[in-house]
Each structure stands twice: as structure tokens, then as C-alpha cells.
Amino acid sequence: MCGIHGVVSTVAIPSISSELRNALSNRGPDHFGQANRELPFSNGDSVIHLSFTSTVLALRGDHVARQPLESPVTESVLCWNGEAWRIDGQPISTENDGELILAKLDAGDAPSAEPRESHILNTLRSIDGPFAFIYYDTQIKRLYFGRDRLGRRSLLISQAEDGNSISFSSIADVSTAGWEEVQADGIYSLNLESRLATPQGLKLDARIAKHEWSLSGGDHMVSSIGNFNMTLPPQEHKLDFDTVSVEMLRHWLCESLKLRVLNIPEPPNPLSDTDVRVAVLFSGGLDSTVLTRLAHDLVPASQGIDLINVAFENPRQVAVDKTVRTAQPYLPVTDVYEACPDRLTGRKAFAELRSTCPDRYWRFIAVNVPYEEAISHKSRVVSLMYPHNTEMDLSIAFSLYFAARGIGHSYTRKCDWEPTPPSITSPARVLLSGLGADELFGGYSRHERAFKYGGYPRLVDELKLDISRIGQRNLGRDDRIMAHWGKEVRLPYLDEELVRFAISSPVWEKCDFQNQFHPAVIDPAKRVLRLLADRLGLQAIAREKKRALNPDTIRLKNSEDGKSHW
């Protein structure tokens, strides 16, 4: 994870504000760097100024890659925020991905602009993983920028009203208005050799060119990753333990997790002797618990895994409890946070993980957020989530913000609530999230409704739509919120190869609404994932009922439809 910022201007570029510098440094505490370039216009009467700023959270390779990355040959500049898990289909595990990408971008030796641009675009298209970037190519004097196909990293853009400059940033400078999300639907470029003639003179040509992620595909291409399988099921079908998709799901989830949980460097200045490098955003739901169980098979036995579970104080419930306790003082002491749905499922799943994998050092971190504390952080959270500004955005942002901070009560040996548990801060800089499983495998209530009212044809259309708009969702917002604490969220379900497997699988091998009853009492929604959970020894999790939304806690949920993905 890194913070990146760039400005292209026809006038001198001032230094970034101290607030923006701090915000970028929070994202990348291991290094702060800047680079500048100047590009004279052909007639020599004007200059384009380019300023680049990068901060680094060092999680790849055996050294801190100092950014912005600068080519020693061409003086081209790359600001890289992300993880290239594969390039040209080959896993990248031990090398620094940013340095490798710059070397590949530099490698093309083209005689003119067109083949040079083709080389740049093809290099960027070959990358699998979450990323946002700004790249200035000195050979053809063009600036490229964008976000990955699924929009998993933040990049904002702002154009000055006078037309003299364009700015890019991982996070908005609060002193500047007009920031917008860069769309995740392609690679964008600016030709810095051209100018626009205006009554006020030559201006920066801010006409942005868009280059598609995929050069091929048809009506059923989704997210520029692959074609969605629109096949309808045969009359007789059943999704069960021996269905091939169950084992295939396990294979691709493990392949995804290998890239995301192995070779993580030890956090600098560890707060304790406990070696913990990975934490899970953990509600105790199906998606996050399956990830946790498979991560156990891969993370070295010497390392612990933190399970971060967030609960918020509900002032209305506190007032009710106080009234009841006044009237009935003999009632046992209870904890207001323990009644939160995610806390209840989280403790149950923690107990099942300890029983299934007793040799792992598990640490359940109960993050309890008093109402007054949440309100005291509101202005910061609002600033981080900008340009998003709805009440639902704020509700989700609060949950992610305090989860990523990682401060809570530690439970290791006992799963049940204790009155005075020790308070700790998770040292893990990598956070795993279960987001994406519902879209891929039919886990939302709207999927069941689609089948109810339109059968498999309508269900297939609904699933295809959900996956196609993942890149338009709010993953950039989530990135801005959690990276504030110098943490990197990783989304194993949204690995390109796993997504490609899921969209190429027929619908009846993912969910099974036609066969509501299963002999092993496995619900039809996301049945393939539930069957896998059962195989992994998580019998209770595999049968956990979908929770109905509680209107009193809608502001504490972690998804657009009020359903937790942790």
C-alpha cells in the first residue's frame, strides 16, 4: 500500500499542504519521496510542470522500494500504489512489483508514439492485482493513470477551474474542492505535447483518452476479466459435496491466499513478542471464516492470526438497559457490545476455529467503540471517505476505520466474554476481507428473489450484473479509510483467477435455489461455499443462517445492503 499524488500544470506547482503530506504518509509510513519534471512546449514559450509524490508501505521484496520510481535510462516516472500478484499470468511473490513493472515499461524500444503506447498499455493490461498508478513516459511525453479492473485501490482526480492544472491523488487534499473518483473501466492518458488555443492563450490540453482494459470480448464479458457463463441448468441437477466446483473453489481460494498471506515482512517495531503479520476483518460469517480457515493451512505455524471483530455502542440500548437495571438491580452484569449480531457470530466462529485448528495461535480482538468515541472521529472519517458523502458511506466507513485501527480486547484461550480482558493493538499490516463472495456465488437476498420471480434466467442476469459493477462500487472509499492506519486490505475472493473461475462456472454449481432442501441442511445461497466450509471442518459455520437486517444497527454494517462481508 502506498500514497500517490501527481500534478500536471502550466504554472509553477506549489508544495503540497502539510495536511495532505500527513495523509499520504499515514498510508505509507516507510518512505516519503518526490520527483519533478519539466516539459517545454515545442515553440519554447511555455513549460508544463510535473510533480510526483509517493509514500511507501513496504510489504513486497527484501527492501523498501523508494518511490516515485524513476527510470535511470529514460527518466520516466512511476507512482505505484498496489500489488501486482501476477504479470503475464506468472505469480510475483518475492520481487518488488513496482520496480519490476517500471523495468517492463522501460523495456519497449519503439520508433514512434503508436508502438510505444501499445507497449505501455499491454504491460499494464498484463497485471493482475489491486492497484492505482500514475506513469509519465518521457519518450512520448504522455501521462497514464488508472485503477485496476475491479477498482480495489483509490485514485482521485481534480481539474483546476482555470484549466491550468490537473491533480491526482490517493486521497483528497481537503483544501481543494472538485475531487472525483477515477473510473476503473480502463487506462487513461493525457498527451502533454498538445495545447489548446483559447482567448487567454495556450492552455493545458486536458482531453483525456481512454484505453480499454480488454481488446476482446463479447456481450457477456464482465469487468474485462472473462465471459459470464449464461448456460441454464438441465432439468435434473444438484449441488453437493462431490460437485467439481467445490474442490475447484478450494483450489483457487488457496492460490489466491498464497499470494496474499505468504512472504509478508515482519512489521517494524513490533509491539510484543507475538509474531502476527495477518489479521482478518472477522464478523464470524461464512465468507471471512472460510478465508481464515484456509489461511491457517498456509500461514507459517510460528505466526499468529488476529481476528478483528467490531461492535458499536447503541445509545438507545444503553438507555433501556439502564432503566431495566434501576428497576431490577439484581440482574447479572452484561456488556452492551456483546449483544451486537457480529459479536455473537464472531465468538461462535472463533470457538469453532479453535476447536478445528487447536495448534494455531488465534487472537480474537473485540473492538468496542463507544458512541462518543465514534463521534469524536467523525470529521476525520468524513475527510477520508470524501468524495463519498452519504449516511450509508459514513456508517460503513466508521466500521472499517475502527477495524483497521486494530485496538481492542484480546481473547486467546477463552471464547466467552470476560469483564477485564487485556487491551492490545494488532501489529498486522495486512488485513483480509471476505468481500466479493456474495456477488460471485449468489449470497444476497436479491439473488433468491430473482430466482423466485424469474427462475434461473433472471438469477443469471442478476449475478452477471452484480459482478460487472464491482468496479463501480466503493472499494476506493474502503481503501482510503483503512490505509489511513498504514494497513493494506487484501480481497482474496476478488483475485482475477478466482473471479474468472466463478464467472465461467454454471450458476447451478454456485448456488441452488431450486433445491432448497439439502440432506446435510446446507442453505441454497452460496451453497458451494457452505459445502466447502463443511469439508474444512466448519460444520456450524456451514449451517449458519443468513441474518435478517436489524434496522437499529444498519449504521454499523459493512456493505451497501446492510450485510457484513467480514
Side-chain angles (χ1 to χ4, degrees), residues 245-256:
S245 60
V246 178
E247 190 55 39
M248 290 295 292
L249 174 57
R250 178 174 185 162
H251 168 78
W252 287 116
L253 259 181
C254 287
E255 291 301 304
S256 173

Side-chain angles (χ1 to χ4, degrees), residues 281 396-405 478 481-482 558 566:
L281 302 178
I396 298 162
F398 266 135
S399 204
L400 298 175
Y401 177 86
F402 287 105
R405 187 175 68 164
D478 300 350
I481 293 294
M482 289 185 276
N558 184 33
W566 296 6

Side-chain angles (χ1 to χ4, degrees), residues 481-499:
I481 293 294
M482 289 185 276
H484 170 75
W485 297 108
K487 307 291 179 70
E488 177 173 285
V489 62
R490 296 180 176 179
L491 310 171
Y493 287 107
L494 293 184
D495 178 87
E496 283 86 346
E497 291 292 347
L498 194 153
V499 172

Side-chain angles (χ1 to χ4, degrees), residues 134-152:
I134 309 167
Y135 174 64
Y136 172 53
D137 187 76
T138 59
Q139 297 182 56
I140 57 174
K141 300 177 177 59
R142 293 181 187 175
L143 185 86
Y144 297 85
F145 61 95
R147 301 163 65 202
D148 70 84
R149 297 163 178 82
L150 298 174
R152 291 163 287 186

Side-chain angles (χ1 to χ4, degrees), residues 466-534:
D466 265 356
I467 297 170
S468 67
R469 61 189 177 191
I470 286 177
Q472 304 166 28
R473 286 189 56 178
N474 299 308
L475 300 183
R477 174 204 63 199
D478 300 350
D479 171 75
R480 291 190 293 279
I481 293 294
M482 289 185 276
H484 170 75
W485 297 108
K487 307 291 179 70
E488 177 173 285
V489 62
R490 296 180 176 179
L491 310 171
Y493 287 107
L494 293 184
D495 178 87
E496 283 86 346
E497 291 292 347
L498 194 153
V499 172
R500 198 169 288 119
F501 150 72
I503 63 178
S504 66
S505 297
V507 62
W508 67 91
E509 291 191 0
K510 295 179 283 192
C511 50
D512 197 6
F513 295 114
Q514 182 167 308
N515 298 299
Q516 290 282 327
F517 175 76
H518 187 277
V521 196
I522 303 288
D523 280 358
K526 288 187 297 191
R527 183 168 281 172
V528 64
L529 194 59
R530 293 179 179 278
L531 292 167
L532 176 58
D534 189 271

Side-chain angles (χ1 to χ4, degrees), residues 115-189:
R116 175 65 190 155
E117 179 164 86
S118 179
H119 169 77
I120 293 169
L121 296 175
N122 288 335
T123 298
L124 295 169
R125 288 172 178 139
S126 72
I127 301 169
D128 280 359
F131 61 87
F133 71 95
I134 309 167
Y135 174 64
Y136 172 53
D137 187 76
T138 59
Q139 297 182 56
I140 57 174
K141 300 177 177 59
R142 293 181 187 175
L143 185 86
Y144 297 85
F145 61 95
R147 301 163 65 202
D148 70 84
R149 297 163 178 82
L150 298 174
R152 291 163 287 186
R153 291 291 177 263
S154 171
L155 187 63
L156 307 177
I157 184 171
S158 175
Q159 186 170 351
E161 291 184 3
D162 59 13
N164 285 326
S165 68
I166 299 179
S167 300
F168 309 89
S169 188
S170 298
I171 189 165
D173 186 342
V174 293
S175 63
T176 307
W179 289 96
E180 298 178 350
E181 295 265 14
V182 173
Q183 295 301 306
D185 57 355
I187 303 164
Y188 294 93
S189 67

Side-chain angles (χ1 to χ4, degrees), residues 60-74:
R60 302 292 293 277
D62 58 1
H63 63 284
V64 176
R66 297 177 178 272
Q67 290 203 45
L69 297 159
E70 302 180 65
S71 166
V73 178
T74 65

